[in-house]
Amino acid sequence: MVAGAWICLLSPLGGAVAITLAGTRISRTTAAYISTLTTFVAFGGALIAFFGLWAEGHGDREVVSTAYTWLESGDFRVELQILLDTLSSTMMLIVSGVGGLIVWYSMGYMRGDDEERRYFAYMSLFVFSMLMLVQAGNLLLLLVGWGLVGLASYLLIGFWHQKPEAVAAAKKAFVMNAIGDATMALALVLLIWETGTLGYFGVFDQASSMSTTTVNLVALGLLGGAVAKSAQIPLHTWLPDAMEGPTPVSALIHAATMVTAGVYLLVRAHPIFEAAPDVQHLAAILGAITLLVAGVIALVQWDIKRVIAYSTMSQIGYMFLAAGIGAYGYAIFHLMTHAFFKALLFMSAGLVIHHLGGEQDIRKMGGLHALMPKTHMAFAVGSLALMGIPIFSGFWSKDGIIAAAFAEGDALGYTLFAAGLVGALLTGLYTTRLYLTVWRGQPSSFVSEHAHEGHGEGPRSMLYPVGVLTVLATIGGLVVIPGVWEPFLHWIDESAEPLVKATVAQDYGTSALGVSLALLGFYVAWRAYRAGRQIVTRPGTWHVLEHKLFFDEAYDALFYRPAVALSTALRRNVEEPVVERSLDEIGSGALQAGGEVARIQSGLLRTYAVAISFAVVVLVVVFVAVR
Amino acid sequence: MDGPDVGWYLIVAAALFGIGALGVMLRRSPLIVLLSLEIMLNAANLTLIAFARQHGDLGGQIFALAVMAVAAAEVAIGLGLIVAMARRGMLLDVDQASALRG
């Protein structure tokens, strides 16, 4: 069981190292196979770990395996260890399973790219980093995985390094994540200070006995990391730009790795957040704001991948909302179903982009359903799951979250409940708009020009993973049917006992509301499409939304430009006149002094002899006198 | 203990040392400078031996022998340098060899 977990962790790392070391000695296809295979081996390991854990009795499903002591300093020690419990084993399955499908898909998508080997090495590294993050047995290892995920995302978003936008997007993602990493590191330092340990259990046991200020600061630091990694407001601006990377990378970032890390952290560190309820509610509020803002922005985007990216932000907002009110099981459940349908949406969007020769603008698309029936099917299933239409996976998880917000009660709970319902309406609107614009109607001139008949929809390595995910996105939610069959929730509850639980009546009532709102969204978007107009018609609103509520511009004005102005002023007033000039002065001064001293050195041997004799005499006199 | 008092030896040694030092400082021929250096070393030897006798300790005598060995080595190098200078047709004048002036 533990061996399975270690295999799961180390196999992708082995793949990344092997591809890197082999370099050009292996063909591109071999690199792709190594990467895919090692990720599926990781999935096998995760399965072994999962079933091993399953066989354990209730309450024993928590195993810590230590490889060796990594750091030791006085009483403080950190071990290289993994924690295997119900939460981490679920995450392992999602990361390695969905990740494996995406890497497999990449084989077809990236075929012919100049640097396929580098790409697959990075992909393996990415999967390894995320597994490290979810399997870490203490907070420091979690931070290691956290940082590695940031690095791998930087490398992959900027994979097409000849594109300046890709490089800028990669830098942006890295900087935004670095802010979160820094707040997390500060929280860990505070924890070491207070508790003298970074082990999960040591820290969690002492969480309730720490002072309110401390625990609030720690929770805030962790929340900062989670917000940055999961692209929640206010650190969300990197996510849409990250679409500059190859499409499978977007799928990997959005579905299996990276953005789900924040949700995982909120659930993993729930004792800390429960000791700081205000911060936990802040997480829920941020999630609610993000889900609304991202949903609204998604209404006006023209890039197929950006629309899906904003929907990810919105769905992660739901997960934050759930984790923030203590519905941990639903947070992870939505994480899983979202991984299925979001990977599916990205991969079918990737098929479309692939088919149309790299075009991502939905204004040029349209009427594709006849040309790509299989992909159309997959995309439709993904859209239905995203909208939360019954029996599709998203229905079971999203409505559960909204119902939990209702069950939370009080002003906060009802506000979050309302936000969740409005989010469901928005989801219906933007999903329908995207679906109709891309797939319905007559093929546009651009499409008929670029779509090659009889060419198939894509290579088999791309279609099979999409097929698997279509099935998963359809039935993947059937592990939780409220009131009847909830094994998934019970499984997660063993790691994180939920704070709220909706009653069955609340659950089905919310579902009815949520589905009708999603259908209303569908209807409105369909009407708008039929009438040939956009959903957002006021030009002023459109302008604001198209600029994503001016977050980038605001950050530019708040941080970037003041920093540049300050630097310029410092250069002009300090660096050039003070530092540079004084350095010149010091140099020329030393030169001059040297010239003066050099005159003493006459080169005349006899002068030296006299000087030495004189000095000896003086020394002797001084010596005698002092004695 | 036979012979004159140790003070006399010291006076002779001081005189020799002074002569040697003046020779080093005043003469310009490298050969004479070298010679004067030897005189200074031997003045030091004399004091060593004088004190060795006074204390009845052979250490000083042995040290004097060591100084002689050093002096021999020094002369060998010094004379070698002077011969080399002469062969290159340089003036045998220490004031002329001032290329290391700052």
Side-chain angles (χ1 to χ4, degrees):
Chain A
M1 170 173 75
V2 173
W6 282 106
I7 291 172
C8 177
L9 178 64
L10 295 177
S11 164
L13 177 66
V17 171
I19 296 171
T20 313
L21 292 185
T24 51
R25 280 186 288 271
I26 53 172
S27 72
R28 297 166 176 188
T29 329
T30 317
Y33 275 111
I34 290 177
S35 186
T36 311
L37 218 67
T38 48
T39 316
F40 277 116
V41 168
F43 182 62
L47 276 180
I48 295 173
F50 174 75
F51 283 114
L53 212 59
W54 185 294
E56 295 283 323
H58 189 87
D60 292 334
R61 290 171 180 155
E62 199 166 74
V63 186
V64 175
S65 165
T66 306
Y68 66 96
T69 303
W70 179 30
L71 294 174
E72 202 166 5
S73 160
D75 291 338
F76 178 72
R77 50 165 43 206
V78 176
E79 280 141 344
L80 197 60
Q81 61 191 176
I82 56 173
L83 167 68
L84 183 61
D85 65 355
T86 54
L87 175 60
S88 67
S89 73
T90 313
M91 289 299 292
M92 280 157 65
L93 284 176
I94 299 171
V95 172
S96 58
V98 178
L101 290 172
I102 295 170
V103 178
W104 184 14
Y105 173 89
S106 305
M107 280 171 71
Y109 194 87
M110 297 304 288
R111 179 155 298 154
D113 197 279
D114 277 347
E115 294 173 276
E116 260 180 277
R117 298 183 196 89
R118 187 165 66 89
Y119 174 83
F120 281 104
Y122 288 168
M123 284 299 255
S124 288
L125 178 70
F126 206 164
V127 175
F128 161 73
S129 314
M130 191 64 192
L131 287 169
M132 173 97 239
L133 195 159
V134 300
Q135 288 186 261
N138 53 53
L139 283 162
L140 191 66
L141 277 186
L142 181 120
L143 187 65
V144 170
W146 204 264
L148 278 174
V149 166
L151 168 73
S153 67
Y154 166 77
L155 293 172
L156 279 169
I157 294 168
F159 176 73
W160 283 322
H161 51 76
Q162 62 276 30
K163 264 170 53 180
E165 308 92 52
V167 175
K171 262 192 288 192
K172 193 170 178 182
F174 199 76
V175 170
M176 282 290 177
N177 273 295
I179 296 172
D181 293 357
T183 64
M184 241 180 104
L186 286 177
L188 295 200
V189 169
L190 206 57
L191 275 177
I192 296 173
W193 183 300
E194 284 292 316
T195 65
T197 174
L198 283 180
Y200 283 137
F201 304 115
V203 168
F204 295 163
D205 286 347
Q206 296 179 56
S208 47
S209 57
M210 278 189 271
S211 75
T212 326
T213 324
T214 317
V215 82
N216 274 329
L217 281 176
V218 169
L220 266 181
L222 295 180
L223 180 63
V227 162
K229 194 67 75 191
S230 291
Q232 297 294 291
I233 285 173
L235 295 177
H236 64 286
T237 55
W238 64 270
L239 191 70
D241 289 8
M243 293 301 105
E244 294 294 341
T247 307
V249 173
S250 310
L252 196 58
I253 288 179
H254 286 248
T257 61
M258 189 94 184
V259 295
T260 55
V263 182
Y264 171 77
L265 180 70
L266 289 185
V267 177
R268 170 58 78 202
H270 69 98
I272 294 179
F273 286 103
E274 281 165 17
D278 292 341
V279 180
Q280 199 174 20
H281 290 155
L282 178 65
I285 295 166
L286 284 180
I289 295 175
T290 310
L291 86 85
L292 294 178
V293 168
V296 175
I297 296 178
L299 290 176
V300 304
Q301 295 299 316
W302 288 121
D303 184 316
I304 182 169
K305 280 170 73 181
R306 276 182 192 250
V307 178
I308 308 179
Y310 277 106
S311 86
T312 301
M313 263 174 70
S314 175
Q315 299 303 311
I316 303 275
Y318 275 110
M319 298 175 211
F320 262 59
L321 199 163
I325 56 173
Y328 307 119
Y330 274 112
I332 298 296
F333 182 36
H334 196 52
L335 192 160
M336 180 180 81
T337 56
H338 174 259
F340 296 154
F341 64 71
K342 193 48 60 71
L344 175 63
L345 281 174
F346 265 116
M347 282 152 78
S348 35
L351 280 167
V352 171
I353 295 168
H354 199 69
H355 205 67
L356 297 182
E359 187 52 56
Q360 303 191 3
D361 193 330
I362 57 174
R363 278 169 293 193
K364 297 189 181 169
M365 300 178 188
L368 274 165
H369 72 283
L371 296 167
M372 305 177 75
K374 291 185 214 143
T375 315
H376 166 245
M377 178 81 183
F379 198 93
V381 166
S383 302
L384 289 172
L386 176 60
M387 285 162 67
I389 301 301
I391 85 137
F392 292 101
S393 57
F395 164 71
W396 305 103
S397 52
K398 187 157 71 178
D399 291 343
I401 291 175
I402 306 175
F406 186 77
E408 163 91 1
D410 64 47
L412 176 73
Y414 293 130
T415 317
L416 295 177
F417 173 72
L421 285 179
V422 175
L425 173 69
L426 288 172
T427 312
L429 284 171
Y430 66 71
T431 312
T432 313
R433 167 179 178 264
L434 178 66
Y435 168 78
L436 292 174
T437 319
V438 173
W439 298 98
R440 288 289 151 182
Q442 291 304 311
S444 66
S445 57
F446 178 83
V447 167
S448 10
E449 207 175 294
H450 281 77
H452 3 269
E453 285 286 345
H455 217 270
E457 294 181 35
R460 254 177 291 175
S461 61
M462 287 166 80
L463 293 178
Y464 285 158
V466 171
V468 175
L469 280 171
T470 310
V471 174
L472 283 174
T474 311
I475 61 164
L478 294 177
V479 287
V480 175
I481 299 172
V484 184
W485 155 259
E486 305 177 331
F488 188 89
L489 295 182
H490 295 313
W491 178 255
I492 296 297
D493 288 352
E494 285 181 37
S495 293
E497 198 57 44
L499 299 180
V500 286
K501 186 102 184 71
T503 62
V504 176
Q506 283 170 338
D507 247 326
Y508 286 105
T510 312
S511 289
L513 263 176
V515 172
S516 11
L517 278 170
L519 289 175
L520 175 68
F522 173 82
Y523 178 70
V524 171
W526 182 70
R527 283 281 304 268
Y529 175 77
R530 284 294 294 270
R533 58 185 161 81
Q534 284 301 313
I535 296 163
V536 180
T537 41
R538 288 171 57 116
T541 324
W542 181 276
H543 182 72
V544 171
L545 290 181
E546 204 171 24
H547 286 82
K548 310 151 203 163
L549 302 188
F550 297 104
F551 266 103
D552 280 333
E553 286 81 353
Y555 287 166
D556 235 29
L558 268 178
F559 303 110
Y560 175 71
R561 264 181 258 143
V564 170
L566 181 68
S567 312
T568 319
L570 279 177
R571 193 191 66 205
R572 207 165 291 149
N573 300 321
V574 179
E575 168 72 21
E576 280 169 4
V578 180
V579 179
E580 251 174 54
R581 289 257 293 281
S582 64
L583 279 179
D584 284 353
E585 294 283 299
I586 290 170
S588 60
L591 213 61
Q592 213 167 7
E596 296 293 327
V597 174
R599 283 215 243 149
I600 299 172
Q601 198 177 353
S602 59
L604 293 177
L605 188 63
R606 298 184 304 144
T607 325
Y608 296 166
V610 171
I612 291 169
S613 314
F614 183 71
V616 169
V617 169
V618 169
L619 279 178
V620 168
V621 168
V622 169
F623 181 68
V624 170
V626 170
R627 266 234 312 200
Chain B
M1 185 174 211
D2 298 329
D5 190 53
V6 75
W8 296 105
Y9 290 97
L10 291 187
I11 290 168
V12 173
L16 278 174
F17 192 86
I19 293 167
L22 284 177
V24 170
M25 283 185 263
L26 299 180
R27 298 300 294 267
R28 305 206 322 202
S29 160
L31 214 57
I32 304 295
V33 170
L34 212 57
L35 240 154
S36 305
L37 267 178
E38 290 303 310
I39 293 173
M40 287 165 78
L41 280 169
N42 281 315
N45 274 349
L46 190 57
T47 56
L48 281 169
I49 292 163
F51 281 121
R53 271 196 66 156
Q54 189 198 11
H55 293 298
D57 183 354
L58 279 180
Q61 308 238 11
I62 292 166
F63 200 74
L65 280 174
V67 172
M68 282 176 193
V70 171
E74 183 205 312
V75 167
I77 293 172
L79 282 178
L81 285 175
I82 292 165
V83 169
M85 283 166 77
R87 276 202 177 165
R88 280 164 189 266
M90 290 166 72
L91 262 179
L92 288 186
D93 180 346
V94 290
D95 284 1
Q96 296 297 312
S98 62
L100 286 180
R101 161 172 82 238

